[in-house]
Amino acid sequence: MPLTVLQILAIDLGTETLPALALGRERAEPGVMSRPPRPSSQGVISRDMLIRSWGWLGTVSAALVMTAFFYVLWRAGWHPGDPTGPGTPLHHAYVTATTATFAGIVTCQVGTAMAARTDHAALREIGLFSNHLLLAGIAFELVFTAALVYAPPLQDLFGTAALSLDVVALIATFPVLVWGTDELRRWARRTRRSTNA
């Protein structure tokens, strides 16, 4: 398993709560009043929202974090089928791999939060730093994650291990990749709509 139960709880209850609340304070994006209203039969959760969140952002994030998980294992000499349980030579590599997955999910959350700030407009139109609460929430989740990864008492509790610099460098690219792919998707939608108009 790429994550432990306590790491999942740390994500659900620790890292994503404040950024999610801060997104609720996001101002309306430019051009929202010039678009036609959504159909009255459409619910709050729409097909497009599900496709974007699960089909696009979720798929990109899953691919990235599984890359980090297997990168750590393969770098340690793991091959499919090799045991990684307690007492095996690869157990520390497995613990480090789950930690990379955990930290990777958190960094993907940062990219997702930035992408979720707008539905149609580019991020430059609203400003990267315009939601101060979101920036504070992101800072908290990164500090919280660093504590779980590098503080020995929390390592013992959450089953984490310190990440090497190359793994940190890898997962540091995740926010830009998640946000960037969604920015490209929104750009393609805007271009398609302007062409059809």
Side-chain angles (χ1 to χ4, degrees):
M1 296 296 291
L3 280 176
T4 67
V5 172
L6 282 177
Q7 289 167 359
I8 293 170
L9 287 173
I11 291 167
D12 289 341
L13 302 176
T15 64
E16 70 179 7
T17 303
L18 291 180
L21 290 171
L23 281 172
R25 301 288 299 180
E26 189 70 46
R27 288 179 285 186
E29 65 181 290
V32 71
M33 295 304 289
S34 62
R35 293 196 298 267
R38 67 179 186 209
S40 59
S41 59
Q42 181 180 327
V44 175
I45 299 175
S46 67
R47 178 178 165 271
D48 285 346
M49 181 188 296
L50 292 177
I51 289 171
R52 181 186 186 197
S53 60
W54 291 348
W56 189 266
L57 293 168
T59 300
V60 170
S61 297
L64 291 173
V65 298
M66 291 311 296
T67 298
F69 177 74
F70 286 114
Y71 170 75
V72 172
L73 287 176
W74 284 327
R75 192 187 59 174
W78 174 85
H79 296 91
D82 287 350
T84 58
T88 63
L90 289 172
H91 182 63
H92 181 72
Y94 168 72
V95 172
T96 307
T98 63
T99 305
T101 303
F102 165 69
I105 289 172
V106 172
T107 56
C108 284
Q109 285 176 341
V110 173
T112 300
M114 285 299 176
R117 294 181 63 197
T118 67
D119 190 37
H120 299 279
L123 185 59
R124 70 176 180 277
E125 293 181 51
I126 62 170
L128 182 63
F129 304 109
S130 59
N131 188 333
H132 301 294
L133 291 175
L134 179 59
L135 296 176
I138 288 171
F140 169 80
E141 75 176 327
L142 293 177
V143 169
F144 181 76
T145 300
L148 266 60
V149 171
Y150 293 106
L154 294 175
Q155 287 176 335
D156 294 339
L157 180 61
F158 287 90
T160 59
L163 297 176
S164 59
L165 190 57
D166 60 324
V167 177
V168 172
L170 173 66
I171 64 175
T173 65
F174 291 179
V176 176
L177 293 172
V178 171
W179 163 77
T181 57
D182 190 66
E183 191 79 7
L184 286 173
R185 183 195 65 82
R186 281 180 279 134
W187 172 81
R189 283 182 69 191
R190 289 191 304 270
T191 303
R192 198 166 48 246
R193 285 182 180 169
S194 64
T195 302
N196 294 337

